[in-house]
Amino acid sequence: MNCQQILIHFGELSTKGGNRKLFINKLGSNIRHALKAFPAVVVTSDHDHIYVELNGEDAERIAAILVEIPGIQRLSFIRRVSKEISAIQAAALEMISEEKGKTFKVDAKRADKTYPLDSYGIARAVGGYILSKTDWKVDVHNPDVHVQVDVRREEAFVSCKTIVGAGGYPLGMNGKAMLLLSGGIDSPVAAYALLRRGIRIECVHFASPPYTSMAVLDKLEDIIGKLSVYQEDIKLNIVPFTKLQEAIYENVDEPYCITIMRRMMVRIAVALAEKEHCLALATGESVGQVASQTLDSMVAINDVTNFPILRPLATSDKLSIIATAKKIDTYEISIRPYQDCCTIFAPKAPKTKPKISECVHYESRFDWKGLVDECVEKVEQVLYVGGKKKQFEN
Ligand code: ATP
Ligand code: MG
């Protein structure tokens, strides 16, 4: 496509008043980072927009990267021309000829109030020119192509194509959450929901070898690879959970095992979250999806902490979760067979309405505190950058 610049519209950012500058700076630096493989591209901003100067790079290729960046509401492909109306008309004609469709409308605005035509006059001149040169028709309500003309002080912008971006907030704008990442379908989708809201993630996985195969780590690595499109550096905390899990199954009656296990996961995840400066935990739970995800269960699980637990999928149904998993390309990875610690120890009849008093009673039967501390101490941390293992810590 013959365009020189992509114009970025913020959407939700506009509602943010005083924080606006911070938002624009954050989004601008996220965009620069995402486009660092294209040194010719220049990113600038003003109060209303961010401008991505292509300097010869392919517009479609750059746009494919931009549509994944949270905080971008829409992208317009812009041709910059001189302010002469004939130049604007020619550019609009050439651009609309590259589009598919039969109907169009033209909207114009002018920052330059000394311009000989007002906005309406510009729109009429451009629309009339297209009508005279093509068989496109005008449809002001539901056009196939929306031609936009913006006459600025020095030059004019013409655009025929606007595409929808990821929306939400720029990454890093809203702190960091510790996400419980299992290897199933839901938690990567929860990750995507958080990232779109501008929340950075760090992940924690509870591994119970030899009951669960360490092959799950390959899955997690592949999932993290897919998520790194949205957040380049993702830290994974792998918790050695076997001893604590065995203690649970020795001491707790079967119907309560899952609830107690989840309470332990939350305690460990909170300790890690605090160490890593996360402001919340997050899970892929969805109310009612399975026995351990009833509201009653969530109350019993939440009881161990007053740290916030975000459940972005709380009210999503499975079909829409699967659709998102396919969109972000984690679905095929998630459905690879694997043994999760929950499935291995899954009781035949888990309690759907666990009572907090019963949980406390079961937990009084064994020294779980020492085991929880041991899990936190022995956690293995792996940093992934662009989906590639970067370094081991601990
Ligand atoms: P998912 O598809 O995300 O695994 P699920 O439908 O299988 O979810 P559960 O297995 O009940 O549901 O898990 C609910 C949530 O608990 C998960 O979304 C995840 O956030 C967390 N979770 C479960 N197992 C683990 C684990 N081994 N390590 C880390 N988090 C886990
Ligand atoms: Mg699971």
Side-chain angles (χ1 to χ4, degrees):
M1 176 183 294
N2 196 355
C3 94
Q4 292 120 334
Q5 174 175 287
I6 295 177
L7 181 67
I8 299 197
H9 309 261
F10 313 136
E12 288 187 61
L13 295 195
S14 347
T15 62
K16 281 287 165 183
N19 273 340
R20 193 178 175 96
K21 208 171 163 61
L22 193 67
F23 276 62
I24 295 171
N25 289 345
K26 193 91 200 167
L27 183 55
S29 78
N30 290 351
I31 290 171
R32 275 182 207 100
H33 188 75
L35 297 178
K36 67 178 188 301
F38 303 89
V41 170
V42 175
V43 181
T44 55
S45 62
D46 62 22
H47 187 260
D48 298 312
H49 297 104
I50 289 177
Y51 306 90
V52 178
E53 296 285 344
L54 295 169
N55 292 322
E57 293 293 352
D58 181 60
E60 301 282 356
R61 220 169 134 205
I62 300 295
I65 296 168
L66 295 174
V67 289
E68 304 293 0
I69 298 178
I72 297 180
Q73 202 70 17
R74 285 172 292 121
L75 320 169
S76 300
F77 294 78
I78 301 284
R79 175 90 63 93
R80 294 163 58 174
V81 293
S82 80
K83 296 192 320 184
E84 304 297 316
I85 192 68
S86 58
I88 297 172
Q89 287 169 321
L93 177 65
E94 206 180 317
M95 288 174 89
I96 202 167
S97 310
E98 292 171 0
E99 299 300 321
K100 289 194 190 69
K102 293 190 174 66
T103 59
F104 74 101
K105 83 166 180 181
V106 183
D107 274 318
K109 61 179 182 181
R110 47 167 203 165
D112 174 6
K113 300 297 176 202
T114 64
Y115 196 69
L117 294 168
D118 64 7
S119 314
Y120 182 67
I122 300 167
R124 268 182 63 112
V126 174
Y129 187 74
I130 293 171
L131 286 173
S132 72
K133 300 280 181 192
T134 67
D135 49 13
W136 286 74
K137 301 267 178 299
V138 171
D139 179 348
V140 289
H141 301 297
N142 195 18
D144 296 327
V145 172
H146 189 180
V147 181
Q148 284 164 297
V149 179
D150 184 1
V151 177
R152 306 228 157 176
R153 283 233 293 270
E154 310 292 336
E155 58 190 348
F157 292 176
V158 184
S159 157
C160 281
K161 185 167 172 179
T162 296
I163 53 178
V164 176
Y169 293 90
L171 191 63
M173 210 57 234
N174 290 324
K176 183 167 75 162
M178 181 66 79
L179 171 75
L180 282 75
L181 185 68
S182 54
I185 296 168
D186 303 321
S187 33
V189 175
Y192 178 64
L194 297 167
L195 294 167
R196 279 194 54 174
R197 283 282 98 182
I199 301 171
R200 288 178 61 82
I201 56 164
E202 178 162 339
C203 301
V204 54
H205 178 76
F206 297 86
S208 300
Y211 304 104
T212 63
S213 153
M214 290 315 265
V216 70
L217 296 182
D218 296 336
K219 269 184 99 163
L220 298 180
E221 218 160 86
D222 291 348
I223 287 170
I224 286 172
K226 297 292 180 190
L227 295 175
S228 68
V229 171
Y230 312 99
Q231 177 181 318
E232 193 185 27
D233 54 317
I234 299 179
K235 203 189 268 179
L236 173 64
N237 296 266
I238 303 160
V239 176
F241 201 48
T242 314
K243 253 166 98 179
L244 178 53
Q245 200 163 15
E246 284 173 344
I248 295 170
Y249 284 85
E250 267 158 37
N251 293 289
V252 178
D253 290 351
E254 214 186 74
Y256 269 81
C257 280
I258 290 273
T259 312
I260 302 297
M261 189 184 80
R262 290 259 186 261
R263 284 163 61 97
M264 298 301 169
M265 284 182 173
V266 167
R267 288 179 172 118
I268 295 163
V270 167
L272 293 171
E274 282 173 342
K275 264 190 176 173
E276 298 287 324
H277 311 292
C278 297
L279 302 175
L281 299 189
T283 74
E285 290 165 295
S286 167
V287 177
Q289 200 184 81
V290 291
S292 60
Q293 298 183 19
T294 61
L295 266 188
D296 292 274
S297 294
M298 289 181 192
V299 170
I301 294 163
N302 260 81
D303 168 62
V304 302
T305 187
N306 48 24
F307 207 72
I309 304 183
L310 304 177
R311 297 179 171 91
L313 309 183
T315 60
S316 305
D317 62 71
K318 194 77 193 184
L319 287 179
S320 77
I321 294 173
I322 288 175
T324 308
K326 287 184 173 162
K327 179 177 121 93
I328 62 172
D329 210 17
T330 55
Y331 181 74
E332 295 298 329
I333 305 168
S334 293
I335 58 172
R336 280 187 222 153
Y338 80 113
Q339 297 285 23
D340 186 53
C341 54
C342 310
T343 42
I344 299 243
F345 292 100
K348 283 166 216 81
K351 202 81 189 156
T352 52
K353 291 188 178 225
K355 290 199 184 65
I356 291 173
S357 57
E358 288 289 299
C359 294
V360 173
H361 160 73
Y362 285 120
E363 288 174 354
S364 71
R365 287 184 178 174
F366 67 113
D367 175 28
W368 54 266
K369 284 200 184 73
L371 293 168
V372 163
D373 290 346
E374 199 180 320
C375 284
V376 176
E377 269 160 37
K378 294 198 170 155
V379 72
E380 183 193 334
Q381 292 191 315
V382 188
L383 180 66
Y384 292 88
V385 178
K388 303 236 175 338
K389 210 179 267 184
K390 191 75 176 183
Q391 70 193 61
F392 282 92
E393 291 166 27
N394 271 19

